[in-house]
Amino acid sequence: ELSLEELIAGRASDPIEVAERAISFGWDLTRRRAVLLASIDPPTDPETLPRALPVIAAAARATLGSDAIVWTRATSVAALVAPSSEDLVERRHLAEVLRAELDRTVQSVTISVGVGRCTTDPLLLPRSYLEASRAVDVGRWVKGRHATEVYDDLGLERLLASASADDLVE
């Protein structure tokens, strides 16, 4: 059984299975997609997570559009957004609209947002996920907590995106 977690982790290898699973869940993976992560900044209080994550997910569903596929992870909310083009301006706009809603509705934690590049191939979503995760990591490293970054807008910091998270902390 294919889940969104398996898809972004790169454990999906059969395009027919991906297409069938997507149809059964009502996901449109034939559109251009990019991964957006709204990640609670560490340190995280285990008692706060169960209250904060549903609020973050609701904000993502309300602001990212009806085509967004949103799900909750351990300390973040992930979304497959469907920008109309590969232009980073639209992905940045989606991140900033979500950021504004999170700033308005979530007071218990700070959240960093990262967005990966677009792909039309669902089997390449793991790359977009890694880029979104790296955008969060680099944003935190460069700007601190509460960062919002689009991977392909990082500039020179993009070179840091190939470094491990441990290397970024040192």
Side-chain angles (χ1 to χ4, degrees):
E1 238 181 68
L2 178 69
S3 70
L4 291 168
E5 285 295 315
E6 292 169 323
L7 182 61
I8 65 166
R11 291 194 292 268
S13 59
D14 181 356
I16 294 171
E17 179 187 5
V18 170
E20 288 174 354
R21 179 59 57 179
I23 290 168
S24 73
F25 281 112
W27 306 331
D28 182 358
L29 297 183
T30 62
R31 297 195 54 193
R32 174 184 295 108
R33 294 283 181 177
V35 175
L36 180 146
L37 287 177
S39 181
I40 295 175
D41 293 321
T44 54
D45 176 5
E47 293 180 18
T48 304
L49 289 175
R51 290 189 304 271
L53 286 170
V55 175
I56 297 166
R61 287 184 184 97
T63 61
L64 296 176
S66 60
D67 290 333
I69 301 167
V70 177
W71 73 102
T72 303
R73 308 184 75 236
T75 60
S76 64
V77 169
L80 298 181
V81 294
S84 60
S85 74
E86 293 194 24
D87 188 350
L88 72 94
V89 172
E90 187 176 356
R91 285 176 284 136
R92 173 159 287 290
H93 176 73
L94 287 169
E96 289 171 353
V97 168
L98 177 59
R99 157 68 55 222
E101 181 66 11
L102 293 173
D103 288 349
R104 190 180 70 73
T105 59
V106 180
Q107 307 302 316
S108 59
V109 295
T110 60
I111 301 154
S112 291
V113 178
V115 187
R117 289 183 290 186
C118 295
T119 182
T120 55
D121 182 348
L123 296 179
L124 295 180
L125 285 169
R127 181 196 71 194
S128 184
Y129 169 76
L130 181 60
E131 293 165 352
S133 181
R134 284 292 176 230
V136 167
D137 291 342
V138 172
R140 284 178 178 150
W141 183 76
V142 172
K143 297 177 181 175
R145 298 162 62 95
H146 198 256
T148 301
E149 293 293 338
V150 177
Y151 179 80
D152 40 351
D153 196 29
L154 290 175
L156 289 176
E157 294 92 0
R158 195 167 164 179
L159 295 174
L160 296 172
S162 61
S164 73
D166 291 337
D167 289 342
L168 292 175
V169 172
E170 293 179 3

